[in-house]
Amino acid sequence: MSPPPARRLENVLVYSKPSWYVHPTLSATNHWFLHFGWDIGVNIDQTDHTGVFNLDDLMRYQVLVLNSTTNFGQDLDDQQKADLVTWFRQGNGIVSVHAAAVHHGAWDWYANLVGCDFAADSVRTPARLVIDPAHAEHPAVKPFAPEIWVNEEWLCYDRAVTGQPDVKVLMRLDEATFEPVREKFQQMNVQPMGADHPAAWTRETEGGRFFYTAIGHDARVLNSNFGRRHMLEALRWAAGETP
């Protein structure tokens, strides 16, 4: 029996329509993805139109990037949701960036894929990221193990994803190195996550691949050496790229 054909990252769709809070940096990060595609030789298309969520259009892509899509799924009808699930189950991948883990209760399937929701955020601040030794060989974090400092607006989640089915946490935030809950949320009595504060994780399920990263609030981190390598390897992994 001949081996399966090699897979290559070739076509990516970036979807960026938020349904709740609109990051003022969204236009800049959309442009960053387009330029990044030119730099790495990958076709990257960007849209905020839900009409793309039909099986014919989706099958043009190996990876869907959800760029800070607060409450993703709210604007999709039942057929669009079904087509996206079908596409995902055919071996494709989703890369969710920053606020794509924020307020997504409108769609249970996607909420379960992410595994948590937004609780609070920080001001933009440097923080220490610790690579999980069990998953330090993942190419999205391997060059930076065992730790790296990154300046970003960090999110707190309502629960940890460690131990959830098929989840591998790639890196965690060291809350001793920054204030994880900014003043607005402190006044709402939101508590830090503690020792298990995930910042990037994967989930392989239903035949597809899901990758979440907390970075991407704006283009500054994305355009750093860390951000570019981290995102490139996230896209490659989500596409199922093989040697």
Side-chain angles (χ1 to χ4, degrees):
M1 180 181 295
S2 60
R7 290 177 62 94
R8 291 285 184 271
L9 175 66
E10 296 177 320
N11 294 289
V12 175
L13 175 65
V14 174
Y15 178 72
S16 60
K17 182 181 180 181
S19 298
W20 180 66
Y21 176 73
V22 179
H23 278 70
T25 57
L26 197 57
S27 176
T29 54
N30 282 336
H31 280 91
W32 181 87
F33 275 105
L34 295 177
H35 284 275
F36 187 54
W38 300 336
D39 290 345
I40 64 176
V42 171
N43 176 60
I44 295 184
D45 296 330
Q46 183 276 324
T47 188
D48 58 3
H49 296 291
T50 59
V52 74
F53 290 99
N54 65 83
L55 200 53
D56 285 343
D57 283 337
L58 288 170
M59 289 304 295
R60 297 165 52 202
Y61 304 99
Q62 301 150 303
V63 179
L64 169 67
V65 173
L66 299 176
N67 185 19
S68 287
T69 48
T70 46
N71 209 357
F72 176 65
Q74 176 175 289
D75 297 322
L76 303 186
D77 63 30
D78 289 344
Q79 185 59 56
Q80 290 169 329
K81 292 177 181 177
D83 282 356
L84 179 57
V85 172
T86 298
W87 169 85
F88 181 79
R89 289 173 175 171
Q90 291 185 17
N92 297 300
I94 296 173
V95 175
S96 290
V97 175
H98 194 62
V102 173
H103 296 338
H104 44 60
W107 189 10
D108 288 346
W109 181 82
Y110 180 70
N112 291 332
L113 197 61
V114 178
C116 60
D117 207 333
F118 175 83
D121 59 19
S122 71
V123 299
R124 188 171 189 270
T125 184
R128 176 175 173 256
L129 291 164
V130 180
I131 312 304
D132 190 310
H135 308 302
E137 291 299 306
H138 193 288
V141 294
K142 182 178 180 178
F144 311 101
E147 64 179 59
I148 184 172
W149 283 78
V150 176
N151 193 4
E152 179 60 293
E153 178 196 274
W154 302 108
L155 304 182
C156 280
Y157 310 99
D158 60 357
R159 56 193 173 276
V161 294
T162 304
Q164 292 187 20
D166 307 308
V167 166
K168 296 178 180 178
V169 177
L170 304 184
M171 58 186 187
R172 293 178 175 84
L173 284 156
D174 178 1
E175 290 190 347
T177 63
F178 75 112
E179 176 52 70
V181 180
R182 62 184 170 96
E183 184 178 359
K184 171 185 174 180
F185 293 102
Q186 291 177 9
Q187 293 173 356
M188 298 166 62
N189 202 34
V190 178
Q191 300 299 309
M193 294 190 72
D196 192 1
H197 188 152
W201 61 89
T202 67
R203 189 194 296 264
E204 293 185 73
T205 184
E206 301 180 26
R209 290 167 297 277
F210 173 81
F211 189 107
Y212 173 78
T213 182
I215 72 167
H217 173 262
D218 59 50
R220 287 173 289 185
V221 177
L222 290 173
N223 209 39
S224 67
N225 178 59
F226 165 73
R228 291 174 67 86
R229 183 65 180 270
H230 182 67
M231 189 58 62
L232 174 61
E233 299 300 345
L235 295 174
R236 285 173 169 168
W237 177 85
E241 185 169 288
T242 54

